């Protein structure tokens, strides 16, 4: 793929433009045929000089690319871009690890400490379902099925509504 914008475009400007387009540092390094460290250095230096973040996006934390490092520790910080409307963009590797995809959901819990150390925990659909199941009492033989109770409640409700008509 040719990433040149013009004959006089510098490598640094190409790196900035690809970053603004949402490419990860590892992708940029491959596209411009430079080392990951050089790409990182350009972007870190820009941030240190106060250069605005791409498309009005502010960065939170540190970028951690599981695809590049192959490390799957859960305690490492990641960069989450926050757009002007408050929406966030999760790194593609994290989305895959959560077992979800574009247009689907992740479930989050927010813990507010009141000391500026609030925590947002994200779960993929499978983990969220398992956590929900943990909160439910286990059905025991001889107990009525919840589905049967629900159907009975709905039928009683329908009978009451029919009687009111």
């Amino acid at each position: 793929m040719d990433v040149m914008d013009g004959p006089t475009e510098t490598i640094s400007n190409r790196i900035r433009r690809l970053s603004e387009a949402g490419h990860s540092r590892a992708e940029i390094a491959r596209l411009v045929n430079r080392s990951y460290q050089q790409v990182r250095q350009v972007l870190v230096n820009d941030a240190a000089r106060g250069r605005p973040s791409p498309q009005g996006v502010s960065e939170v934390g540190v970028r951690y690319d599981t695809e590049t490092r192959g490390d799957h520790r859960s305690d490492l910080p990641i960069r989450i871009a926050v757009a002007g409307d408050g929406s966030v963009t999760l790194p593609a590797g994290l989305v895959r690890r959560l077992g979800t995809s574009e247009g689907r959901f992740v479930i989050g819990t927010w813990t507010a400490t009141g000391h500026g150390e609030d925590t947002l925990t994200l779960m993929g659909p499978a983990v969220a379902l398992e956590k929900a199941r943990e909160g439910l009492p286990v059905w025991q033989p001889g107990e009525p099925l919840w589905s049967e109770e629900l159907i009975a409640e709905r039928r009683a409700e329908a009978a009451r509504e029919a009687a009111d008509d």
Side-chain angles (χ1 to χ4, degrees):
M1 173 181 178
D2 184 59
V3 294
M4 291 296 286
D5 194 34
T8 60
E9 184 178 36
T10 66
I11 296 292
S12 294
N13 285 339
R14 288 167 51 195
I15 290 169
R16 290 179 187 108
R17 189 168 47 79
L18 290 166
S19 177
E20 289 173 3
H23 292 279
S24 72
R25 290 178 183 170
E27 290 170 325
I28 296 169
R30 285 190 294 274
L31 290 170
V32 298
N33 198 27
R34 294 295 191 266
S35 70
Y36 178 92
Q37 185 59 36
Q38 183 177 356
V39 170
R40 179 187 176 281
Q41 194 63 43
V42 168
L43 299 174
V44 167
N45 284 344
D46 283 354
R49 290 185 188 113
R51 189 177 269 237
S53 297
Q55 302 168 354
V57 169
S58 60
E59 294 182 8
V60 179
V62 177
R63 169 81 174 162
Y64 178 76
D65 192 340
T66 57
E67 296 168 67
T68 302
R69 298 197 30 201
D71 191 343
H72 297 294
R73 289 177 40 205
S74 62
D75 61 340
L76 295 170
I78 60 170
R79 179 183 73 184
I80 298 178
V82 180
D85 65 356
S87 63
V88 297
T89 303
L90 299 175
L94 176 59
V95 170
R96 281 192 300 278
R97 290 207 27 98
L98 287 170
T100 191
S101 60
E102 183 177 350
R104 296 191 62 211
F105 293 92
V106 293
I107 307 300
T109 59
W110 175 41
T111 306
T113 63
H115 303 291
E117 297 177 13
D118 298 354
T119 302
L120 175 64
T121 302
L122 299 177
M123 297 173 275
V127 172
L129 178 61
E130 190 59 37
K131 292 234 180 245
R133 285 181 177 153
E134 288 173 6
L136 297 174
V138 177
W139 177 81
Q140 300 294 323
E143 292 181 351
L145 295 175
W146 294 344
S147 57
E148 292 172 356
E149 289 181 348
L150 178 62
I151 291 169
E153 287 175 11
R154 297 287 191 246
R155 286 182 179 154
E157 183 179 326
R160 283 191 303 272
E161 288 178 2
D164 289 343
D165 288 340

